């Protein structure tokens, strides 16, 4: 199950997402939950790699709901069942925005979404692939960072920007995605996927 989006050319090596020791796994969003005694931490998405981030700030969203009287005085876990344009990102490798409303309750983000240089895999590990439209198996916008043409052979010439854009367009379409663009200065490869 799952899908691989990106280039398999190996523009950079990365050994995958490293899981941190359970005692220290409350990175990212979870580190602020101690301040919110009634926050349903079991419902929050799980982020165990400090290089990953999620948006919007769900802790803040629940605080606003509580302050405005939502959730009967406490944090409303139902808000986590319909998060608009949920984004998962890796500070070095890219981000993916899941379009529409997404139920993010209990999703182990660093297990389900894996970034490497020039590639994204969703549902490639232990978590089973849900039906299309459920979980994170839905339409998404993907931006991969630091994607640059390689030199041909040993120190040969690089593809021109126009050649590289054609290559990225072909790779995108071969994976059933829509090519949205490439920014050569920053190496940003953008695409839209129908699902994973």
């Amino acid at each position: 199950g799952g899908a691989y989006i990106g280039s398999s050319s190996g523009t950079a090596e990365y050994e995958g997402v490293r899981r941190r020791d359970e005692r220290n796994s409350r990175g990212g969003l979870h580190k602020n939950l101690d301040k919110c005694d009634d926050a349903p931490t079991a419902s929050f998405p799980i982020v165990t790699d400090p290089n990953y981030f999620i948006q919007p700030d769900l802790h803040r969203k629940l605080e606003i709901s509580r302050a405005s009287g939502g959730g009967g005085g406490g944090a409303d876990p139902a808000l986590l069942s319909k998060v608009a344009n949920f984004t998962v990102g890796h500070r070095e490798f890219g981000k993916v925005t899941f379009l529409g409303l997404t139920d993010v309750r209990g999703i182990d983000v660093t297990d389900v979404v894996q970034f490497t240089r020039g590639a994204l895999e969703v549902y490639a590990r232990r978590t089973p692939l849900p039906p299309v439209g459920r979980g994170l198996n839905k339409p998404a916008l993907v931006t991969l960072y630091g994607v640059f043409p390689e030199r041909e052979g040993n120190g040969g010439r690089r593809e021109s920007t126009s050649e590289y854009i054609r290559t990225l367009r072909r790779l995108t379409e071969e994976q059933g995605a829509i090519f949205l663009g490439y920014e050569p200065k920053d190496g940003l490869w953008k695409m839209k996927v129908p699902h994973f």
Side-chain angles (χ1 to χ4, degrees):
Y4 176 87
I5 299 294
S7 168
S8 61
S9 66
T11 55
E13 293 293 324
Y14 183 67
E15 294 177 12
V17 176
R18 293 176 191 85
R19 290 202 168 273
R20 295 190 318 169
D21 172 327
E22 281 301 312
R23 292 169 300 162
N24 298 320
S25 67
R26 292 177 59 163
L29 173 69
H30 293 284
K31 67 182 176 187
N32 295 322
L33 291 177
D34 295 330
K35 298 175 186 170
C36 187
D37 294 333
D38 57 347
T41 57
S43 295
F44 274 82
I46 301 162
V47 180
T48 58
D49 187 315
N51 291 309
Y52 276 71
F53 62 88
I54 59 174
Q55 296 170 332
D57 180 341
L58 299 175
H59 178 65
R60 180 78 178 126
K61 184 175 178 174
L62 290 174
E63 283 180 344
I64 291 169
S65 171
R66 183 175 46 198
S68 66
D76 183 2
L79 288 174
L80 298 174
S81 70
K82 49 189 175 205
V83 176
N85 299 321
F86 180 63
T87 298
V88 176
H90 186 285
R91 296 181 201 304
E92 294 178 48
F93 300 135
K95 67 180 180 177
V96 55
T97 299
F98 299 94
L99 302 175
L101 298 177
T102 301
D103 184 348
V104 301
R105 293 175 294 183
I107 291 176
D108 185 341
V109 170
T110 46
D111 183 64
V112 174
V113 179
Q114 295 92 45
F115 286 94
T116 55
R117 178 81 57 213
L120 164 68
E121 289 186 87
V122 179
Y123 291 107
R125 289 191 178 176
R126 298 182 305 252
T127 305
L129 179 68
V132 173
R134 308 255 338 220
L136 302 182
N137 190 14
K138 60 189 302 182
L141 298 175
V142 176
T143 301
L144 299 175
Y145 307 158
V147 179
F148 298 101
E150 293 183 356
R151 293 196 179 276
E152 295 176 4
N154 292 332
R157 74 171 189 87
R158 284 189 196 266
E159 285 182 285
S160 71
T161 299
S162 60
E163 289 172 321
Y164 196 56
I165 289 172
R166 281 194 295 276
T167 297
L168 293 177
R169 181 181 302 277
R170 179 183 51 77
L171 288 170
T172 303
E173 291 169 356
E174 285 174 359
Q175 297 171 73
I178 299 167
F179 180 78
L180 298 178
Y182 176 68
E183 296 177 22
K185 180 180 177 222
D186 297 316
L188 300 179
W189 178 10
K190 298 179 181 183
M191 66 195 86
K192 181 177 181 181
V193 298
H195 61 84
F196 294 94

